[in-house]
Amino acid sequence: MWRHMLPMERNNMKRKESFINDKRRVSYLSAIYNRIYRGQSVLIEGDYGVGKTKFLKLLRPKKLHAVWVESLFNIHETLASILKELNYDTIATYRRTPEYLKMVCNLSSCFLIIDEANDLDRRVWPYMKRIIDAGIPIVFAGLPKVRTFLTSEHPDILSRLKTLVLYPIVVEDFVIEFKDIEQEAIEQLYMVTKGDMRKFKEICTDCRDKARELKYPFVDLNLALEFISDLPPQ
């Protein structure tokens, strides 16, 4: 995973690791660098307050220039702002949308960052697909409803994205502390509690008790899913 990164980037990754103290986020940085260097795109998913924007600010690949894109813009404003960030003389008008789309698709040595992707106008997504297919990497970040929307309306776009789910640091600490629960099981339990940390810790404790009762060495994904299916409706 590290072989595509420059020595300086590896050093930066090590500094970031000590800064954020979160192995999942460190591995995500590496995964994103590998994706965008290959011209591929990523969706970072997370609930409110998990640190999506702060994580995006850690993305500083040495070979690519990051262009931040405002998610509230219309498509003609979006395309013009991307080009303007790269020192093109552009005016945001609808009639130049086809021209600007072609120019953006012909860019090189850059990637796009779109925070709050849940705010994107639904009419913008087909343009994003054209840009992705042109090999311009895009890193989207947004709430889980972004993936829900793409699953329903644009599964072809979702299939082009690697989805990385961010959880609150307290959940990551929980993963480290309770090594008798598989990471995949913890993720499922976190999702069913909808981010309520009190319920999350309670259900994890109940699962561990169930595993001991069944004489299981740890809580695996199957046991977690079985436990979830027996829960009363939330």
Side-chain angles (χ1 to χ4, degrees):
M1 203 175 263
W2 292 76
R3 65 180 179 275
H4 298 295
M5 302 175 65
L6 298 174
M8 188 175 294
E9 283 171 340
R10 294 195 187 102
N11 292 334
N12 286 340
M13 289 285 289
K14 290 176 183 176
R15 287 197 295 272
K16 288 168 185 173
E17 180 169 4
S18 63
F19 170 67
I20 58 182
N21 192 29
D22 179 354
K23 291 182 179 179
R24 185 196 298 271
R25 282 165 169 75
V26 172
S27 70
Y28 279 4
L29 284 173
S30 180
I32 291 172
Y33 283 160
N34 283 315
R35 290 279 297 182
I36 62 179
Y37 279 145
R38 294 196 299 263
Q40 298 173 324
S41 298
V42 178
L43 169 61
I44 299 170
E45 174 186 306
D47 288 321
Y48 294 107
V50 300
K52 296 184 295 296
T53 301
K54 183 177 181 180
F55 178 78
L56 290 174
K57 291 178 180 177
L58 296 175
L59 297 176
R60 296 177 182 175
K62 298 300 178 182
K63 294 181 181 179
L64 297 174
H65 175 72
V67 178
W68 287 74
V69 179
E70 173 55 62
S71 60
L72 293 174
F73 284 170
N74 292 320
I75 187 57
H76 67 288
E77 297 169 318
T78 297
L79 297 174
S81 69
I82 293 170
L83 295 169
K84 185 165 288 188
E85 173 71 19
L86 296 170
N87 297 319
Y88 287 84
D89 185 14
T90 57
I91 300 174
T93 63
Y94 277 111
R95 65 184 180 84
R96 294 191 176 179
T97 297
E99 174 190 350
Y100 288 170
L101 176 61
K102 185 175 181 179
M103 292 171 67
V104 169
C105 288
N106 286 325
L107 293 173
S108 61
S109 302
C110 69
F111 73 105
L112 311 182
I113 297 177
I114 303 181
D115 196 7
E116 305 290 353
N118 37 282
D119 290 333
L120 283 171
D121 189 301
R122 61 194 307 116
R123 293 169 294 184
V124 169
W125 283 103
Y127 291 90
M128 295 295 109
K129 179 184 175 184
R130 297 295 188 277
I131 295 171
I132 291 170
D133 286 349
I136 309 301
I138 306 178
V139 179
F140 299 95
L143 299 172
K145 64 182 179 181
V146 175
R147 180 160 39 149
T148 302
F149 168 75
L150 292 177
T151 299
S152 173
E153 302 296 328
H154 296 287
D156 52 337
I157 296 178
L158 185 60
S159 69
R160 290 161 165 78
L161 305 175
K162 180 177 181 65
T163 302
L164 303 174
V165 182
L166 280 184
Y167 297 95
I169 297 296
V170 66
V171 176
E172 305 296 350
D173 292 340
F174 196 91
V175 172
I176 294 171
E177 181 180 355
F178 295 96
K179 299 185 182 300
D180 57 346
I181 307 180
E182 281 188 347
Q183 181 173 309
E184 292 82 1
I186 283 186
E187 291 173 358
Q188 289 297 320
L189 295 173
Y190 177 78
M191 285 183 358
V192 80
T193 56
K194 300 177 181 177
D196 185 321
M197 290 307 300
R198 182 187 61 78
K199 290 182 180 177
F200 170 68
K201 291 180 180 180
E202 182 180 302
I203 196 174
C204 282
T205 299
D206 290 343
C207 266
R208 297 174 79 208
D209 291 342
K210 184 70 174 178
R212 292 192 191 99
E213 178 186 327
L214 296 172
K215 300 186 187 306
Y216 289 177
F218 55 85
V219 177
D220 63 8
L221 179 59
N222 290 332
L223 179 59
L225 292 175
E226 181 182 334
F227 191 87
I228 289 170
S229 67
D230 292 335
L231 289 174
Q234 296 291 315

